[in-house]
Amino acid sequence: VAGFAVLALIVGARALLVEGQRANRAAARETIEYQEQLSGLLSLAQDAEAGQRGYLLTGEKSYLEPYQKAVDAIPGQLARIDAMTSSNDQLAPQISHIKDALAQKQAELAVTITLYDKGDAAKALELVRSGQGKAAMDEIRASMDTIRRIGAADIAARDEHTDEVEAWLRIGSLAALIAIFLLGAYTIRQSRRRFRDVVTAQEELMRKNIELGNEIDTREKAESQIRQMQKMEAVGQLTGGIAHDFNNMLAVILSAMNLAQRKLKRGENDIEKFIEAATDAASRAANLTSRLLAFSRLQPLAPQVVDTNRLVTGMSDLLHRAL
């Protein structure tokens, strides 16, 4: 976040510098255009003066054409200069001096031409030699020189300010780049440390998982042994009832066989019911033995869906005799 903030600050400062340079260029163009307008005004005044001098020296009306054109163009030129000066109070006094001097110069030109037209050429030339028109032109040039100096100073000040901003921006950019580099190095270092911490945590988690798996295996083995012990304990508890049930079955078998032997000794052959009784008792004993072995056998559990009614019915003989 700090790196992005520094970059945003650099970009913003660059943007401000570019805008400042653009404003400086615009101000320079306005200053140059302003000075061109002033130069045009001075050129018009000089054209008017040249036309007046030529007419006074030769008496030819053709020399008054530059004068008349200049006189007609001067108001428009002054209007353009006023439009460009309205927002600049520093130049307004100089423009006022230029207007006053120009009005004096125009008045002097108009008076000399009027005198010459009336046939008083000597007085017109005397007015020209008096230096009144020259003083007005000198005042116009001095005010324009002052305006040029003001414009040059303003441009120089803007350029100096821009240079200062660029210098500080270069220093700031270098410092910002160093800061970004340090931030990047710090971030990389922190990332590596966190990565090592994550790897260490993963290894610890794997070790814990292995220990947990071993503990689960050990617990399952212990539980299996406990279940087997419980089975054997249950078998021990059932021994009395099972032994009694076996004695009953053996008694049936022995009694049936004894009765069958007695019948045979007497020569009687109707011993089928005794044999069936003995066979039934032996079958019941075999079923009881198989169930007891299945119950006490050490084997893994294999859960499956069963019919509870059928399961209880199949165990009824064992439970009945045990109870």
Side-chain angles (χ1 to χ4, degrees), residues 127-177:
L127 184 59
V128 172
R129 293 189 185 97
S130 67
Q132 180 180 350
K134 181 179 182 300
M137 291 297 293
D138 289 342
E139 186 175 352
I140 292 173
R141 291 189 182 92
S143 297
M144 289 186 178
D145 289 340
T146 302
I147 292 174
R148 291 190 183 96
R149 286 195 298 272
I150 292 173
D154 181 65
I155 293 175
R158 288 175 177 271
D159 291 338
E160 183 179 359
H161 176 69
T162 302
D163 293 340
E164 290 178 358
V165 172
E166 286 183 346
W168 281 109
L169 186 58
R170 281 194 294 270
I171 296 173
S173 299
L174 181 60
L177 290 176

Side-chain angles (χ1 to χ4, degrees), residues 78-141:
L78 285 174
R80 287 189 289 272
I81 292 174
D82 287 338
M84 298 177 67
T85 312
S86 58
S87 61
N88 195 333
D89 297 333
Q90 189 177 7
L91 300 180
Q94 302 300 326
I95 296 299
S96 179
H97 293 162
I98 290 174
K99 286 182 179 180
D100 294 340
L102 185 60
Q104 293 175 7
K105 181 62 179 178
Q106 286 181 294
E108 185 260 344
L109 293 176
V111 169
T112 56
I113 291 173
T114 301
L115 290 173
Y116 190 86
D117 288 340
K118 290 180 178 180
D120 196 354
K123 190 173 182 178
L125 291 175
E126 182 181 357
L127 184 59
V128 172
R129 293 189 185 97
S130 67
Q132 180 180 350
K134 181 179 182 300
M137 291 297 293
D138 289 342
E139 186 175 352
I140 292 173
R141 291 189 182 92

Side-chain angles (χ1 to χ4, degrees), residues 19-286:
E19 290 298 326
Q21 290 176 340
R22 185 177 298 154
N24 287 344
R25 287 194 296 269
R29 286 195 298 268
E30 290 178 359
T31 301
I32 293 172
E33 184 179 357
Y34 191 79
Q35 292 178 358
E36 288 177 353
Q37 295 293 334
L38 291 176
S39 297
L41 181 63
L42 179 61
S43 178
L44 290 174
Q46 290 173 346
D47 289 345
E49 185 180 38
Q52 176 247 9
R53 298 289 174 85
Y55 177 66
L56 293 180
L57 292 175
T58 63
E60 296 291 335
K61 290 289 186 180
S62 60
Y63 282 96
L64 290 178
E65 291 180 3
Y67 166 80
Q68 193 61 45
K69 289 181 180 179
V71 170
D72 294 338
I74 284 174
Q77 192 75 7
L78 285 174
R80 287 189 289 272
I81 292 174
D82 287 338
M84 298 177 67
T85 312
S86 58
S87 61
N88 195 333
D89 297 333
Q90 189 177 7
L91 300 180
Q94 302 300 326
I95 296 299
S96 179
H97 293 162
I98 290 174
K99 286 182 179 180
D100 294 340
L102 185 60
Q104 293 175 7
K105 181 62 179 178
Q106 286 181 294
E108 185 260 344
L109 293 176
V111 169
T112 56
I113 291 173
T114 301
L115 290 173
Y116 190 86
D117 288 340
K118 290 180 178 180
D120 196 354
K123 190 173 182 178
L125 291 175
E126 182 181 357
L127 184 59
V128 172
R129 293 189 185 97
S130 67
Q132 180 180 350
K134 181 179 182 300
M137 291 297 293
D138 289 342
E139 186 175 352
I140 292 173
R141 291 189 182 92
S143 297
M144 289 186 178
D145 289 340
T146 302
I147 292 174
R148 291 190 183 96
R149 286 195 298 272
I150 292 173
D154 181 65
I155 293 175
R158 288 175 177 271
D159 291 338
E160 183 179 359
H161 176 69
T162 302
D163 293 340
E164 290 178 358
V165 172
E166 286 183 346
W168 281 109
L169 186 58
R170 281 194 294 270
I171 296 173
S173 299
L174 181 60
L177 290 176
I178 294 174
I180 292 172
F181 175 77
L182 294 176
L183 285 171
Y186 176 76
T187 303
I188 293 173
R189 181 180 178 183
Q190 289 295 105
S191 299
R192 289 180 175 176
R193 185 183 63 80
R194 293 176 181 175
F195 181 75
R196 287 195 298 268
D197 293 342
V198 170
V199 171
T200 303
Q202 289 179 344
E203 292 176 351
E204 182 68 17
L205 180 61
M206 292 178 63
R207 187 180 65 80
K208 293 292 185 180
N209 288 334
I210 293 173
E211 292 179 356
L212 181 61
N214 295 333
E215 184 178 354
I216 291 173
D217 292 340
T218 303
R219 183 173 297 179
E220 287 180 350
K221 291 178 181 179
E223 290 177 353
S224 178
Q225 293 176 356
I226 291 173
R227 285 194 298 270
Q228 186 63 23
M229 292 171 61
Q230 290 174 346
K231 287 182 180 182
M232 298 309 296
E233 182 180 359
V235 170
Q237 293 175 355
L238 295 173
T239 301
I242 293 172
H244 180 71
D245 201 12
F246 267 107
N247 287 331
N248 292 336
M249 295 175 187
L250 291 176
V252 173
I253 295 172
L254 292 174
S255 299
M257 296 306 294
N258 289 331
L259 292 173
Q261 287 178 352
R262 291 179 184 179
K263 286 278 187 178
L264 290 175
K265 288 179 180 180
R266 292 196 299 266
E268 298 176 359
N269 295 324
D270 53 344
I271 60 173
E272 183 177 355
K273 61 180 180 179
F274 301 116
I275 295 175
E276 291 177 357
T279 302
D280 180 62
S283 177
R284 289 167 59 191

